[in-house]
Amino acid sequence: MWELLQHLSFWDWLALGTLLLIFEIFGAGGYLLWVGIAAATVGVLTFMIPGLHWTLQFVLFGVLSILTAWLWWKRQRSAARPSDQPGLNERGHDLLGRTFVVHVAIVAGRGKIKVGDSVWMATGPDTEVGAQVRVIGQDGSTLQVERIE
């Protein structure tokens, strides 16, 4: 075992880095990415500095693994701030207060309305096709409407 450790080459580190990155592809969730990059970096350093002692190689691997994982964690935490556009993916909120035409009659509280070039599910009082309705709310992808008299 000591013989193997004393003769670590850059190929060993590059192989370890490649193996860790392959395992990452199979769904490790990002945990092995940074350890694999650290192993590959130690491989490059070992190539550039051929006489690097094996203990220093392992210390570098550990430090680089922790450093890269910490930097990524720090970046992810700084990126997780509230959006300046809170309604960005809630298209129905843009429709509140607007009027549309009933496309499929609202019967027993359910029907469809025509919104631009699309059709949305709607809930509200029974209303015949062609009548005007106003959007008063949203529940998921279903719009809540009221009849306009």
Side-chain angles (χ1 to χ4, degrees):
M1 179 70 170
W2 290 108
E3 184 72 26
L4 177 65
L5 289 176
Q6 291 175 353
H7 295 290
L8 280 176
S9 73
F10 67 93
W11 287 115
D12 298 320
W13 288 107
L14 292 177
L16 176 64
T18 303
L19 187 65
L20 290 169
L21 293 175
I22 288 170
F23 286 153
E24 175 62 35
I25 290 172
F26 291 114
Y31 297 109
L32 297 178
L33 175 67
W34 304 109
V35 180
I37 289 174
T41 303
V42 172
V44 170
L45 288 174
T46 305
F47 177 74
M48 293 170 51
I49 308 168
L52 201 58
H53 196 266
W54 68 271
T55 55
L56 187 55
Q57 292 177 28
F58 276 98
V59 169
L60 278 171
F61 174 64
V63 168
L64 287 173
S65 295
I66 292 170
L67 181 66
T68 54
W70 178 75
L71 287 172
W72 179 252
W73 175 79
K74 188 175 176 183
R75 183 195 177 284
Q76 289 295 92
R77 297 240 332 154
S78 68
R81 59 180 177 265
S83 173
D84 58 342
Q85 298 175 337
L88 181 63
N89 290 325
E90 297 176 1
R91 208 174 128 211
H93 285 295
D94 294 340
L95 304 176
L96 291 176
R98 294 181 54 195
T99 59
F100 300 100
V101 175
V102 174
H103 185 69
V104 174
I106 300 174
V107 178
R110 299 191 59 81
K112 295 180 180 180
I113 62 173
K114 184 86 168 161
V115 178
D117 61 349
S118 63
V119 177
W120 285 63
M121 293 293 296
T123 59
D126 290 355
T127 310
E128 67 278 353
V129 174
Q132 294 279 324
V133 292
R134 178 179 296 114
V135 177
I136 59 172
Q138 178 185 10
D139 181 24
S141 62
T142 304
L143 298 175
Q144 299 164 344
V145 297
E146 66 181 2
R147 185 182 180 120
I148 298 177
E149 300 297 332

